């Protein structure tokens, strides 16, 4: 199973955010991290793949052109966890996960919806929140619930937009190890992460988006380098290995003047 | 608590909600009965029920119940149901708890339509005069919502855009209505002002049947969209990620809202508060799973409107107040109290 992105361009209205991006195929069983500075277009690209933003070019899952699928058919095979979290609705956690399963009207799994939703909450270790109101949750808890909504349909492709941004250290690890297990079931996972050490530890490959295109793609050790950090992020950085052999990224400062205009570009743009 | 225990509690909660919806339906029916027994010629409940069940009663009683009170009482029930359902759907698809047909120009447009018929005498040719005002009000309010959808689509159809257009429409229609009122004769002006206050007195079985049909056609579609509407409460991105075509959902929901609101307002005039408060009270009772929220809104609206109809006969002895005035006078303080008592929705 593989996800193909070829010559993909997308943006908002007339404004292009991603221009002619191609990626080596993403394979099932693998976790790929999408990284890059603020406003590089990571969320936009994820939305295009999820069918939430118009695009040109080819995005195909196992040769099946995703643009040709109806919304319910796409939702059956693609799970998307957006960066923005829902504001308070008077629904409890279990209800939202059941809704994620039933909203499209397509049957994605064979089990009864309630049982399936409960099993997903158990799997993510948030079953105790099942009957808690969505508007009573902390940001991190809502993030876990949002992940539950994305995986409940057992999608073949899982897209996660900054899934760990509100999580404490333990839950970052819990979420990412769960994401690894989901990938190991034979699914494709593409996730946006800002923390490159975390990305290096938990993903098989890293794609760096920069200036509307792909800057680098490959195994973490090849991609996360002081040169890349300098050019893309405009920071002075060291990349070292810890005693366990994992990559560690140490940021020492900003490059004066902001290399490649990363600082200037960021102004007025949302993360 | 184990998973199966939690699921049990979830199912129990849903059964409780279904029971609440049923209870609201029963209360609405009781309210209709009370409505039927109030009026200038006091008929006891037993007499009313005997008439309704076809027992032998004096002819005068039969006429009062069947031709005078029942159409009015049933119309109150239906108008309440229609406006609250329209409000509930509109609040969800426009992602705004203050959205309802009346805040977005429907009532103003209907009043303008009525004004055009009353003051300028312009309406659909060959229509019986009794229906001229109704027809105009219907066409104008449907037109307003059609315009709203059209403008929205030109600009991408997002909820903020629709709400801004709705507010602009509201003011535009109100401005033209003022112009009409300014040039109207004293007699026309009085008729127009009374029409805009909302009244159940002009209804007959014909108008009741029409509104009943519109409700019968729209409700099943609304209920079928329950899961999609619930998904939209989690935000547009989430809903679309779940496979909901949000644009189509919005378009069809607004069409249902248009039909319900335009029909209701054209027959009874401007009735505020129900479309806002009905769904809010329903939400406090059953939460936002739309499988329960929509029916609960329908029955809450029906109950509120029946109660308002009864009160309109009782508040000032010997005087029948316009029911729209009652919903505003009695309803708004209740609504404020509900807001201040606790955040709506939990
Ligand atoms: N809804 C939108 N309409 C217009 N421009 C947008 C919208 N969302 C994001 N953008 C712009 O697109 C660019 C990429 O944004 P985004 O994909 O969110 O970046 P990232 O997720 O990499 O931080 C930014 O310049 C941002 O301002
Ligand atoms: Mg982003």
């Amino acid at each position: 199973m593989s996800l193909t992105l070829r010559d993909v361009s997308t943006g908002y209205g007339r404004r292009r955010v991603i221009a002619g991006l191609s990626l080596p195929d993403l394979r099932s069983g693998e976790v790929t991290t999408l990284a890059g500075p603020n406003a590089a277009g990571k969320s936009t690209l994820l939305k295009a793949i999820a069918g939430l933003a118009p695009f040109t070019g080819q995005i195909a899952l196992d040769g099946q052109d995703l643009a040709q699928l109806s919304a319910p058919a796409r939702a059956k095979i693609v799970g998307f966890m957006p960066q923005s979290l829902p504001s308070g609705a008077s629904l409890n956690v279990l209800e939202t996960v059941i809704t994620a399963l039933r909203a499209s009207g397509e049957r994605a799994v064979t089990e009864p919806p309630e049982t399936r939703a409960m099993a997903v909450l158990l799997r993510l270790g948030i079953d105790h929140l099942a009957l808690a109101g969505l508007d009573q949750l902390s940001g991190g808890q809502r993030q876990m619930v949002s992940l539950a909504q994305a995986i409940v349909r057992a999608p073949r492709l899982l897209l996660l937009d900054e899934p760990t941004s509100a999580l404490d250290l333990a839950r970052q690890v819990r979420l990412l190890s769960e994401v690894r297990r989901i990938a190991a079931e034979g699914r494709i996972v593409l996730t946006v992460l800002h923390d490159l050490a975390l990305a290096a530890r938990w993903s098989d490959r890293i794609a760096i988006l920069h200036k509307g295109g792909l800057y680098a793609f490959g195994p973490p050790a090849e991609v996360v380098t002081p040169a890349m950090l300098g050019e893309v992020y405009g920071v002075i950085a060291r990349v070292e290995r810890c005693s366990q052999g994992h990559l560690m990224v140490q940021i020492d400062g900003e490059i004066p003047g902001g290399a490649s205009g990363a600082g200037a570009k960021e102004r007025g743009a949302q993360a | 608590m184990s998973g199966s225990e939690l699921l049990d509690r979830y199912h129990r909660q849903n059964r409780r909600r279904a029971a609440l919806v049923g209870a609201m339906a029963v209360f609405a029916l009781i309210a209709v009965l009370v409505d039927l027994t109030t009026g200038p010629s006091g008929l006891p409940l037993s007499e009313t029920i005997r008439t309704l069940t076809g027992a032998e009663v004096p002819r005068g009683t039969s006429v009062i119940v069947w031709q005078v009170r029942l159409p009015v009482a049933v119309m109150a029930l239906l108008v309440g149901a229609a406006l609250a359902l329209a409000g509930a759907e509109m609040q969800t698809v426009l992602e705004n708890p203050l959205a309802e047909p009346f805040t977005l120009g429907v009532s103003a447009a209907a009043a303008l339509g009525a004004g055009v018929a009353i003051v300028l005498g312009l309406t659909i040719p060959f229509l019986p005069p009794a229906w001229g005002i109704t027809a105009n009000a219907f066409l104008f309010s449907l037109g307003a919502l059609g315009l709203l959808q059209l403008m929205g689509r030109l600009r991408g159809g997002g909820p903020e855009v629709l709400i801004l257009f709705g507010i602009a429409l509201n003011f535009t229609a109100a401005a033209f209505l003022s112009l009409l009122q300014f040039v109207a004769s004293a007699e026309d002006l009085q008729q127009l002002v009374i029409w805009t206050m909302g009244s159940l007195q002009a209804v007959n079985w014909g108008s009741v049947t029409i509104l009943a049909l519109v409700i019968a056609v729209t409700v099943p579609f609304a209920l079928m969209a329950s899961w999609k509407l619930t998904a939209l409460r989690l935000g547009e991105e989430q809903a679309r990620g779940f496979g909901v075509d949000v644009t189509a959902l919005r378009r069809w929901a607004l069409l249902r809202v248009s039909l319900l609101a335009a029909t209701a307002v054209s027959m009874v005039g401007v009735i505020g508060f129900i479309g806002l408060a009905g769904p809010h009270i329903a939400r406090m009772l059953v939460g936002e799973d739309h499988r329960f929220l929509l029916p609960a809104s329908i029955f809450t609206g029906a109950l509120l409107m029946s109660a308002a109809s009864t009160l309109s006969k009782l508040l000032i002895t010997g005087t029948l107040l316009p029911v729209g005035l009652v919903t505003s006078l009695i309803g708004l303080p209740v609504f404020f109290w509900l807001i201040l008592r606790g955040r709506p929705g939990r």
Side-chain angles (χ1 to χ4, degrees), chain A residues 131-171:
Chain A
L131 298 179
L134 201 60
D135 47 6
Q136 295 168 343
L137 301 183
S138 74
Q141 289 174 327
R142 274 196 290 165
Q143 215 154 25
M144 294 301 283
V145 173
S146 186
L147 178 67
Q149 292 165 3
I151 65 174
V152 71
R153 275 168 276 119
R156 274 147 57 193
L157 169 63
L158 186 59
L159 306 167
L160 309 171
D161 200 349
E162 301 194 26
T164 58
S165 60
L167 299 182
D168 64 37
L169 296 174
R171 286 186 182 79

Side-chain angles (χ1 to χ4, degrees), chain A residues 11 21 35 41 59 63 68 88 90 108 116 122 128 134 153 167 176 182 217 224 232 247 249 251-252 258:
Chain A
L21 177 117
I59 300 180
Q68 312 230 305
S90 19
R116 169 76 192 165
L122 267 169
H128 61 288
L134 201 60
R153 275 168 276 119
L167 299 182
L176 287 168
I182 289 166
F217 182 90
V224 183
V232 174
L247 284 188
V249 181
I251 311 294
D252 294 319

